[in-house]
Amino acid sequence: MTEDRNFDDIAHKFAKNIYGSDKGAIRQTIVWEDLTEALKSLNADENKLHILDAGGGLAQMSQRIAESGHHVSLCDISSEMLQLAREDIEKHGLTSSFDFIHSPVQAIEKHLNGKTDMVLFHAVMEWLADPKSALDVVLNQVKTGGIASVMFYNHHGLVLKNVICGNIPHVLDGMPHRKRFKLQPQKGLKPEEVYRWIEEAGFEICGKSGIRSFHDYIGNMQYMGDYEPEDVLELEKRLCRQEPYLSLGRYIHVWARKTV
């Protein structure tokens, strides 16, 4: 991969496929549980916080935070995604709680006035040519004592999904990106590496969750036991923070506090 992915060409499709689905609902539920704990640690009920949503897309999570009276700087490289977010935010009456920044995350510092209380960096690194350097820039925007919320596409989950689908030669070939899958991330990141990057940036990891540790591996329902979507969600909620299930999520969400 030689350049960062911009979703201007498929913004509407991306919004529909990622957010308007059962898998999107699972993702938002698990991440919001983590963010609730993170916000409590910042005494969010007593303080008005400044949140940076870096590469925030439709700002689904940061809108929920803004509803509690906090201010959000929403940054995205895609003008189309940013416009969709603006329309959705306006529809929910939250426009005054947002700043809209059309910029790559790597250049975010010049658009901010000082450090932020929390950054959200969700499902962005897997689309970047140099994920670590972008993560470093984003983490550097957090004040001491602040929180970073990072979600990334999991390499181990990608391996398992391909094996279950019978794509054994593809795994043995190192899983090169298939360009025909426009909504499939360019690559998975290894959790152990991302955890190390976060800690090396001066953060202490407070929590981790697997996102869709089960949903994406369930076979054809016609040949399976009876269950409902809410059963799958309950299973995800119950086991997503326990190993080995955590490390098998298609995505992993980690939140951490800046200590230096």
Side-chain angles (χ1 to χ4, degrees), residues 134-244:
L135 178 64
D136 286 340
V137 170
V138 170
L139 294 180
N140 190 46
Q141 309 315 309
V142 183
K143 64 178 61 171
T144 301
I147 296 292
S149 167
V150 179
M151 184 172 68
F152 58 92
Y153 195 54
N154 178 20
H155 170 82
H156 303 318
L158 182 59
V159 171
L160 180 58
K161 179 63 175 178
N162 273 283
V163 171
I164 289 173
C165 292
N167 298 325
I168 310 301
H170 181 60
V171 174
L172 294 175
D173 286 342
M175 298 186 299
H177 180 62
R178 296 171 173 178
K179 293 184 179 180
R180 65 180 183 273
F181 298 131
K182 289 188 175 182
L183 289 178
Q184 179 175 302
Q186 307 286 353
K187 56 189 173 185
L189 288 94
K190 294 182 178 179
E192 56 273 22
E193 292 185 354
V194 177
Y195 300 154
R196 186 178 72 251
W197 296 345
I198 292 171
E199 290 173 337
E200 288 175 350
F203 286 76
E204 178 183 4
I205 293 176
C206 302
K208 306 170 186 173
S209 299
I211 309 297
R212 305 202 314 269
S213 295
F214 303 101
H215 173 278
D216 291 22
Y217 309 123
I218 298 173
N220 188 329
M221 189 172 177
Q222 180 180 353
Y223 305 106
M224 306 293 284
D226 293 332
Y227 63 89
E228 300 296 333
E230 55 265 29
D231 297 325
V232 179
L233 177 58
E234 179 58 32
L235 183 65
E236 299 279 0
K237 292 170 64 176
R238 190 172 299 183
L239 297 177
C240 69
R241 297 175 182 91
Q242 300 178 29
E243 294 290 5

Side-chain angles (χ1 to χ4, degrees), residues 25-58:
I26 291 171
R27 168 169 155 175
Q28 291 185 61
T29 296
I30 302 302
V31 172
W32 184 248
E33 288 182 342
D34 287 351
L35 288 179
T36 299
E37 292 300 311
L39 290 166
K40 285 180 182 177
S41 75
L42 290 172
N43 298 315
D45 289 342
E46 303 172 10
N47 303 305
K48 183 174 181 178
L49 305 177
H50 180 197
I51 312 296
L52 169 62
D53 196 352
L58 295 184

Side-chain angles (χ1 to χ4, degrees), residues 90-128:
E90 182 177 355
K91 181 176 68 176
H92 291 106
L94 294 169
T95 303
S96 63
S97 296
F98 277 80
D99 296 324
F100 299 92
I101 303 170
H102 182 212
S103 170
V105 297
Q106 295 92 334
I108 187 58
E109 186 170 11
K110 65 183 181 181
H111 298 282
L112 298 175
N113 295 318
K115 305 294 185 180
T116 62
D117 298 290
M118 173 185 279
V119 298
L120 311 183
F121 196 41
H122 295 170
V124 178
M125 286 194 290
E126 55 268 20
W127 299 102
L128 303 180

Side-chain angles (χ1 to χ4, degrees), residues 7-20:
F7 287 99
D8 275 346
D9 57 331
I10 54 171
H12 288 81
K13 181 179 180 181
F14 184 92
K16 178 181 177 181
N17 285 31
I18 299 302
Y19 296 113

